[in-house]
Amino acid sequence: MKYFTFILAFVFCISCKTKPQQTLKHNQTVVQDYANIFSTVEEDSLTNFILNYEKLTTNEICVMTIDSLPANTKALRHATNIAQNLGIGKADKNNGLLLLIAKSDRQVAFATGYGTELVLTDSVCYHLIESTLIPNFKNKLYYNGVRQVLDSVKTKWY
């Protein structure tokens, strides 16, 4: 089942296009859990949610977890660099969204494309972090927090 899901995600995944990067080699999945905070079932659930949402809207989402940020790097800057390197979002619509979670640093950031930020403004993203992610993450409920945020994003960004 995991193999089938991986193949399915690979075939339909255009959200996270790979481009060479010096510090990390990113794959083409929409959920990249380098900090190992999700179980396989949770990762598959998030992947299916994101891919189904993309089919309906063409909006592209990628969730990435890392253990820690590079030295002297802010989460938002790192998230923006990753999103640009992966090519998240359609070029003509700039409709990409990357959620970066740096577990050890306890930092979270949303990187939005120019088209995305018309709906998911800095204020909306800040509210999602403060009201949904942080309370869940404090209780180590990473999947619940991310899933609730994705549900909110789906409602707002259609």
Side-chain angles (χ1 to χ4, degrees), residues 12-26:
F12 292 109
C13 175
I14 57 173
S15 295
C16 298
K17 299 172 190 87
T18 301
K19 292 184 182 178
Q21 187 175 0
Q22 296 172 352
T23 56
L24 282 177
K25 290 186 178 182
H26 302 294

Side-chain angles (χ1 to χ4, degrees), residues 67-152:
D67 286 319
S68 60
L69 295 164
N72 301 318
T73 305
K74 301 280 185 189
L76 181 57
R77 169 59 27 216
H78 194 56
T80 302
N81 289 341
I82 291 169
Q84 289 172 344
N85 286 333
L86 293 176
I88 300 170
K90 306 278 187 260
D92 59 328
K93 295 181 179 181
N94 281 311
N95 62 339
L97 174 71
L98 174 94
L99 170 58
L100 177 68
I101 301 164
K103 184 180 177 188
S104 297
D105 296 319
R106 299 172 62 169
Q107 291 192 37
V108 178
F110 284 102
T112 57
Y114 291 118
T116 305
E117 69 186 15
L118 298 173
V119 176
L120 298 177
T121 63
D122 290 344
S123 175
V124 169
C125 291
Y126 176 81
H127 178 72
L128 290 171
I129 290 169
E130 292 294 317
S131 67
T132 305
L133 289 178
I134 290 176
N136 278 287
F137 287 8
K138 282 183 179 180
N139 293 314
K140 298 191 184 326
L141 300 172
Y142 300 106
Y143 171 78
N144 291 348
V146 172
R147 182 55 196 253
Q148 288 173 16
V149 160
L150 291 178
D151 286 337
S152 294

Side-chain angles (χ1 to χ4, degrees), residues 11-58:
V11 170
F12 292 109
C13 175
I14 57 173
S15 295
C16 298
K17 299 172 190 87
T18 301
K19 292 184 182 178
Q21 187 175 0
Q22 296 172 352
T23 56
L24 282 177
K25 290 186 178 182
H26 302 294
N27 60 33
Q28 293 184 329
T29 59
V30 295
V31 178
Q32 299 181 33
D33 185 20
Y34 298 109
N36 297 312
I37 63 174
F38 303 123
S39 70
T40 302
V41 171
E42 292 170 339
E43 190 172 331
D44 290 345
S45 174
L46 293 173
T47 297
N48 289 331
F49 179 91
I50 291 168
L51 292 175
N52 288 332
Y53 175 72
E54 182 179 336
K55 285 179 193 175
L56 291 172
T57 65
T58 74

